Amino acid sequence: AEVSGALADTEAYKAEMSRRGAGDRIVYSTSFSRDVMDFRSAISAMKGKQVDAVVAVLFPPAVSTFARQLRQLHPNAKLIGMETFEEESEVKAAEGALE
């Protein structure tokens, strides 16, 4: 999500991966405004780059939408999130995609 904290977390994650010599494992990175609810083009781009795991820093209600779309388009990708992925309403809205 394009909010200062999420963007800072993303940059810190990238920097730490590079510091550990694993920066080349990040093959795709993008951000979305908080009102975006269609992630299908980004997920398709990830799939094209043979992404095996996705670190998503999103906020409700985008969390459940992203999880559902990821499971539909790229069912084998692991989804790594944050505490917003545990919000009860999002888990329910994700229809199993966050479990």
Side-chain angles (χ1 to χ4, degrees):
E2 290 178 343
V3 295
S4 60
L7 292 172
D9 287 347
T10 301
E11 290 307 311
Y13 179 78
K14 289 179 183 179
E16 182 62 18
M17 290 292 285
S18 292
R19 187 186 72 75
R20 294 177 182 224
D24 62 333
R25 295 188 66 197
I26 300 172
V27 297
Y28 183 83
S29 179
T30 192
S31 63
F32 306 97
S33 65
R34 285 192 76 167
D35 61 339
V36 169
M37 296 300 286
D38 186 351
F39 304 99
R40 292 175 291 191
S41 63
I43 294 167
S44 293
M46 289 178 221
K47 190 173 182 178
K49 294 187 176 284
Q50 300 178 340
V51 168
D52 58 0
V54 177
V55 177
V57 182
L58 296 168
F59 300 92
V63 172
S64 57
T65 302
F66 180 85
R68 283 193 319 272
Q69 291 175 5
L70 181 67
R71 291 295 164 245
Q72 291 167 352
L73 298 171
H74 196 3
N76 296 323
K78 294 177 182 153
L79 179 58
I80 303 164
M82 52 190 229
E83 64 272 4
T84 59
F85 281 45
E86 298 174 8
E87 186 173 306
E88 189 176 325
S89 62
E90 286 298 280
V91 171
K92 184 176 181 179
E95 301 170 352
L98 287 173
E99 295 182 17

